Amino acid sequence: MKLLKFALSALLACCLAACDSSSIEVNENSGQEIYNNTKGTYVGNILVDNIPQKINITISENLTVKPLPMKPILERVFTDEAQLNQALSSAQNISLSAPIIQMSVASGYIYFLMEETDLAVDVTVDGKPYKVFALMYLETLYKMDTSTLFLNMNVKELTCDGKSYDVSTNKINYFVDSAQKQK
């Protein structure tokens, strides 16, 4: 898994480096055509506890991920297993939608950067409601010749009912290494 994370990060870094030095000339019309060709729904997996969980990633005006597996986030807040299970049970079918703010095209890849987005999730544990907020950072790489999407999501900040949780030293990352476009 760590090798996969490193490979995805290296691929994203290479794409960004390529964007700086050898970008394809993209004008407004060709850029819109490229963007329109990437729109659609992709299906991939996120590993949670080494178990793949199927997700859908939709590119339209925003990038939307659903259902977002909540265990990596909620297990930081609810460390007791019974409380975690209650929180997970009350947080079903969560989706995350983030506006696309940048698109770069280089060497057969399209790089999308999304606006940092707050994910707000209401959970109930022991009959008490909690509000969990996670500030999410998303970036996506699309390989044009295979219609394959790579997604990297990171939690930058995490709070529950005003209490902050450290995510700087023990990061919460989500990776999708090969989502395929659905016809």
Side-chain angles (χ1 to χ4, degrees):
M1 181 68 179
K2 288 185 181 187
L3 183 58
L4 175 64
K5 289 178 184 178
F6 176 76
L8 181 58
S9 296
L11 186 59
L12 287 171
C14 289
C15 179
L16 289 175
C19 290
D20 291 339
S21 62
S22 63
S23 291
I24 297 170
E25 180 87 23
V26 178
N27 62 37
E28 186 175 332
N29 292 332
S30 64
Q32 187 64 49
E33 183 179 336
I34 290 168
Y35 178 64
N36 288 339
N37 287 336
T38 63
K39 286 183 178 181
T41 300
Y42 300 78
V43 175
N45 290 305
I46 289 179
L47 288 179
V48 176
D49 294 336
N50 290 323
I51 299 169
Q53 294 189 15
K54 185 188 277 191
I55 62 161
N56 292 318
I57 304 164
T58 303
I59 296 178
S60 60
E61 285 70 37
N62 296 321
L63 184 130
T64 302
V65 178
K66 65 181 175 182
L68 182 65
M70 291 303 300
K71 186 173 183 186
I73 293 172
L74 293 178
E75 69 186 356
R76 289 292 174 86
V77 176
F78 303 100
T79 56
D80 176 79
E81 189 173 339
Q83 289 183 335
L84 174 60
N85 288 334
Q86 289 177 53
L88 289 170
S89 176
S90 65
Q92 297 293 315
N93 298 316
I94 302 298
S95 65
L96 173 66
S97 187
I100 298 170
I101 58 173
Q102 180 181 349
M103 179 182 93
S104 303
V105 180
S107 304
Y109 290 92
I110 302 170
Y111 170 77
F112 291 103
L113 177 63
M114 275 54 71
E115 184 177 301
E116 289 183 355
T117 301
D118 271 323
L119 173 67
V121 179
D122 294 312
V123 298
T124 303
V125 175
D126 294 332
K128 180 181 176 198
Y130 292 88
K131 188 100 161 154
V132 178
F133 289 98
L135 180 62
M136 305 293 290
Y137 172 82
L138 297 89
E139 55 189 352
T140 300
L141 189 64
Y142 175 82
K143 188 173 181 188
M144 296 194 314
D145 64 345
T146 61
S147 298
T148 303
L149 197 69
F150 306 89
L151 174 66
N152 178 26
M153 296 184 291
N154 297 301
V155 176
K156 293 186 75 173
E157 296 174 8
L158 178 63
T159 62
C160 179
D161 290 349
K163 180 181 178 188
S164 293
Y165 295 84
D166 181 23
V167 292
S168 62
T169 55
N170 190 9
K171 298 184 183 297
I172 301 172
N173 299 316
Y174 292 91
F175 292 98
V176 177
D177 68 347
S178 182
Q180 297 298 313
K181 190 170 189 177
Q182 302 301 291
K183 303 290 181 205

